[in-house]
Amino acid sequence: MVNIMGEKSAGKLISKVPLSNNTISRRIHDIAEDLNYQLIEKMKSKDFGLQLDEATESNNVAHLICYVRFLDDNVTVEDLLFCKSITESAKAQDLFEILY
């Protein structure tokens, strides 16, 4: 696609990038961990609010989604903190244990 849309030299350069499933998966995981770390570091020095939501997929797999909201330099930041599977029931105690 790069060869068609751009220069052939750019296509050759891009073809040198390793694109195995393991490489891509590892890079996505590393980026996600880094973004989560940066978010938590910002939250450590600020007051923040949590919003929890339960979502169910079409195959009846339930997830607990946690959003966070805080002020960063007078700008409201809203971000996804985590999404975890609900393995037990969705009783308040079970959800609290996932959060904790």
Side-chain angles (χ1 to χ4, degrees):
M1 194 65 183
V2 173
N3 287 336
I4 293 169
M5 299 299 290
E7 297 181 24
K8 289 186 180 183
S9 61
K12 289 180 182 178
L13 185 61
I14 288 176
S15 68
K16 293 180 182 179
V17 176
L19 295 176
S20 71
N21 286 341
N22 292 340
T23 301
I24 299 298
S25 176
R26 186 182 71 246
R27 288 182 181 175
I28 290 170
H29 184 263
D30 290 347
I31 290 169
E33 278 189 355
D34 184 57
L35 289 172
N36 195 37
Y37 173 79
Q38 289 179 40
L39 178 62
I40 291 172
E41 286 300 309
K42 281 184 181 180
M43 290 172 52
K44 284 183 178 179
S45 62
K46 298 177 176 34
D47 293 330
F48 60 88
L50 296 176
Q51 177 181 344
L52 301 174
D53 191 18
E54 178 191 354
T56 306
E57 294 179 15
S58 59
N59 57 355
N60 292 329
V61 176
H63 299 284
L64 180 64
I65 303 170
C66 181
Y67 300 95
V68 63
R69 181 184 293 172
F70 59 92
L71 286 176
D72 187 24
D73 295 329
N74 291 328
V75 175
T76 302
V77 176
E78 297 178 345
D79 210 336
L80 173 69
L81 186 59
F82 66 79
C83 177
K84 296 184 179 181
S85 295
I86 299 174
T87 56
E88 301 293 322
S89 70
K91 294 179 183 175
Q93 179 65 34
D94 296 327
L95 298 180
F96 182 76
E97 287 177 10
I98 293 171
L99 178 63
Y100 184 67

